Structure formats: C-alpha cells, structure tokens
Amino acid sequence: MTPHSDPTVQPVPTSVVEQVDAADTTLSNPQRAVISLGSNLGNRLETLQGAVDALEDTPGLRVKAVSPVYETEPWGVEPGSQPSYFNAVVVVRTTLPPASLLERAHAVEEAFHRVRDERWGPRTIDVDIVAYADVVSDDPVLTLPHPRAHERAFVLAPWHDVEPEAQLAGRGPVAELLAGVGREGVAPRVDLELRLPE
C-alpha cells in the first residue's frame, strides 16, 4: 500500500491551510494572558505600538485586545525628574507556556534597547506579564499574577477598559481593585490610540 493511497496522509491544500490560519484555530488550546506595556523615553506611542506589533509577530501568540493609552507619573522617583509614562495593556491568546512568554517579553524589551541598569529608572519599554490564565505561582523568575499588579492603577485602569469583568487570580475583580487604589496620577490619553495589528 503506497502512502498516497491513504487519504489521511494526503498533503493539505494550501487554500485550506490559509483558511485554518485565518480562523485562528492554529492555536490549539490557547491560554489568555494579560501583558502590561509602559514607555517613558523616546517616542513613547511609537514604542508601545512597536511592542504590540512585535507581540503579534510572535509564533503561537495572537493579540486580541489593546487598551486605551494612559499617561502616568513615574513610580518611586522625584516628581519631574523623569518623563511621564505612556501605559497600555494588551490581552493575548497564546500557546506559549509562561516561561516562553516571559522570554519573548524580554526579547521585545531588548529590541527597543531597554536598559535594566536602575530600579525604577526610565525605560524605553517595559513588557510585564500581568496574568497568565488563572495561574498562581510564586516562582521568583516569573511570579503570577504580577506581584504588584493589584496596586498599580496604570495596569488596572487600562485592563479594566478592555475587560471590565476581569478577575486577577487570588486578588479578585479588577474593577474592585481599581476602585480601591483610585485613578490618581493615571490620565487617559483619548487623543492617542494604539492599533490592533491587522
């Protein structure tokens, strides 16, 4: 029996492959992850958009939602000593395990010449994994959900915009967490918009 007489090993026509890709079913059993972006050096909006596009270009990852842009004051530094941040949140579906997603986040940071020389220092781009499915992990390399997400309005506000019903694993509804920390120092920039990759 030649392999070609077995219909299960027929090559799949290209048109079918393209349809499957378009239908996004190439991601078998994808997990939802929430990623926070922040930039306070250079062309901040362009950098955020570049990070969104780089995430979308990652095999096994699809960007499903991009939040509005917020402008926030830097954390833990003297007021006025650094430019303000532009922050946003993206919701993705991915087949990458958390460790691989973290590697990709760091690769995106490095692509924008992120320098990690100073805690709370200014940075071209910050790419933080806020949540991955409902995983709760205290692994020091990647703590899930992000250990400070529940107290950061610059994460909670844009996340709430794209997923009003979202829950932060182990912490409760994002809406309640945001109400608890308040929106002081976090201003929506309605004049700015990040594009969802085509």
Side-chain angles (χ1 to χ4, degrees), residues 64-191:
K64 288 301 180 187
V66 181
S67 78
V69 177
Y70 280 76
E71 185 166 8
T72 62
E73 289 307 310
W75 261 67
V77 296
E78 199 61 33
S81 65
Q82 286 182 24
S84 60
Y85 273 85
F86 284 178
N87 290 98
V89 160
V90 291
V91 178
V92 306
R93 292 182 73 75
T94 184
T95 51
L96 297 175
S100 302
L101 188 59
L102 181 66
E103 282 175 17
R104 182 58 180 162
H106 287 165
V108 172
E109 290 181 341
E110 281 162 25
F112 288 92
H113 310 297
R114 157 75 193 270
V115 182
R116 291 176 175 271
D117 56 357
E118 173 191 344
R119 189 171 168 85
W120 315 125
R123 63 267 324 246
T124 330
I125 187 73
D126 240 345
V127 182
D128 283 329
I129 300 171
V130 176
Y132 182 98
D134 292 320
V135 174
V136 176
S137 162
D138 56 8
D139 181 332
V141 177
L142 176 57
T143 306
L144 288 168
H146 191 288
R148 290 176 297 283
H150 66 283
E151 58 192 31
R152 289 182 164 175
F154 64 80
V155 171
L156 298 170
W159 185 7
H160 181 260
D161 286 340
V162 284
E163 291 193 315
E165 305 299 316
Q167 301 264 343
L168 184 61
R171 295 284 183 182
V174 168
E176 288 181 16
L177 295 169
L178 178 58
V181 297
R183 292 172 176 263
E184 190 179 343
V186 179
R189 285 292 300 266
V190 291
D191 55 319

